[in-house]
Amino acid sequence: MRTYTIPAAVIAGALALGLTACGSEKSDSANGTLVVGATPTPAGEVLAYVKDHLAKKAGLDLEIKEFTDYVLPDTALQDGTLDANLYQHTPYLEDFNRSKGTTLSAVTDVYLPPMGVYSKKVDDVTKLAEGATVALPNDTTNEGRALELLASKGVIELKKDAGANASPQDIAENPKGLTFKELEPAQLPRSLSDVDAAVINNNYALDADLSPQKDAILLEAVKDNPYNNVLAVKKGNEDDPRVKKLAKLLTSPEVKKFIEDTYKGSVLPA
């Protein structure tokens, strides 16, 4: 059975009651339950498969906490409410550490969720009309990733020094005069009726019953892609025996087959 989103108020209350210490003590126990945070799809589904089919045999007691945003899973990991999480790529984790002062660490790559461009109005990103509106995720690394994807098709051109954290201000050439609308990543699928196209993170696309393979009008290339999603912990907990067991299971042939059979190319095992 899954456990669903932890509201921000609950986390804040836990901090006020001093439960951070309890979370830290739990993390020190090599034989205790490993509490892992995840977004529902695909991370929560992958973890549920591990819990239901592999964890018991490996001697791992796994509890899954599901979140619907990209911030709480990391703040909960930092304060000890979680022991690990699975939902983010390394560039996002590193940017989160820089901007929030957290000390989180990637343990292992698990899967690649390709980002895609979706539209209800055109079937090819190059057919976007003059002045079309394109919605982008508003967090630093995923906005840069979205702009890089658009640039890969020549829809825009980025400044040479834009880097992975590019923003619309780093656009050097915009021949169609596109307008960019920055939204919370979870809102992007719902924006499709109001914009000409949206660049949507894989997990939110799947949650909205969009198939990256079938529905995206432009999908990220797989080769040399730096955006594999990772199992992450608070720095210093990489050698926790429970974390090592989970990392081994998440990169096992059984999980590889589950990802391939379940997502049929829309999510790729790392």
Side-chain angles (χ1 to χ4, degrees), residues 205-237:
L206 293 173
D207 284 343
D209 294 324
L210 294 168
S211 167
Q213 282 292 321
K214 296 178 182 178
D215 298 325
I217 62 172
L218 176 62
L219 198 61
E220 274 183 331
V222 175
K223 186 177 180 182
D224 299 324
N225 193 308
Y227 296 108
N228 285 313
N229 279 19
V230 298
L231 178 67
V233 297
K234 188 174 181 179
K235 191 172 181 179
N237 293 334

Side-chain angles (χ1 to χ4, degrees), residues 25-242:
E25 289 171 7
K26 178 179 63 180
S27 295
D28 291 337
S29 172
N31 298 313
T33 299
L34 187 72
V35 183
V36 184
T39 47
T41 309
E45 294 172 345
V46 172
L47 287 166
Y49 173 80
V50 170
K51 180 178 181 178
D52 295 342
H53 298 278
L54 305 174
K56 187 175 181 180
K57 188 181 292 186
L60 178 64
D61 186 9
L62 190 62
E63 181 181 349
I64 304 163
K65 301 281 188 181
E66 289 192 352
F67 297 77
T68 56
D69 80 315
Y70 283 172
V71 176
L72 291 180
D74 275 350
T75 56
L77 183 57
Q78 180 69 24
D79 70 37
T81 305
L82 299 175
D83 299 305
N85 68 34
L86 174 63
Y87 78 102
Q88 66 193 315
H89 48 69
T90 298
Y92 179 89
L93 182 150
E94 291 174 345
D95 181 72
F96 197 92
N97 280 339
R98 284 192 297 269
S99 63
K100 306 295 184 183
T102 48
T103 55
L104 308 180
S105 175
V107 176
T108 187
D109 290 354
V110 180
Y111 57 80
L112 173 66
M115 178 178 272
V117 182
Y118 299 82
S119 176
K120 291 184 176 181
K121 299 180 180 179
V122 296
D123 58 8
D124 186 321
V125 72
T126 63
K127 295 179 182 178
L128 285 167
E130 296 282 338
T133 299
V134 180
L136 304 173
N138 67 353
D139 64 273
T140 303
T141 55
N142 282 310
E143 183 171 52
R145 181 183 182 187
L147 290 170
E148 286 178 343
L149 179 57
L150 293 171
S152 73
K153 265 296 194 181
V155 178
I156 58 171
E157 183 180 330
L158 293 172
K159 295 175 183 176
K160 291 182 179 179
D161 60 350
N165 293 340
S167 73
Q169 287 68 45
D170 294 302
I171 296 173
E173 299 289 341
N174 184 3
K176 290 179 177 285
L178 301 177
T179 298
F180 296 98
K181 187 175 184 179
E182 296 161 298
L183 297 173
E184 290 288 336
Q187 296 178 15
L188 289 164
R190 296 194 293 272
S191 77
L192 281 174
S193 296
D194 303 317
V195 298
D196 297 288
V199 190
I200 304 177
N201 294 79
N202 182 283
N203 62 304
Y204 291 125
L206 293 173
D207 284 343
D209 294 324
L210 294 168
S211 167
Q213 282 292 321
K214 296 178 182 178
D215 298 325
I217 62 172
L218 176 62
L219 198 61
E220 274 183 331
V222 175
K223 186 177 180 182
D224 299 324
N225 193 308
Y227 296 108
N228 285 313
N229 279 19
V230 298
L231 178 67
V233 297
K234 188 174 181 179
K235 191 172 181 179
N237 293 334
E238 297 90 341
D239 292 329
D240 183 320
R242 300 166 302 158

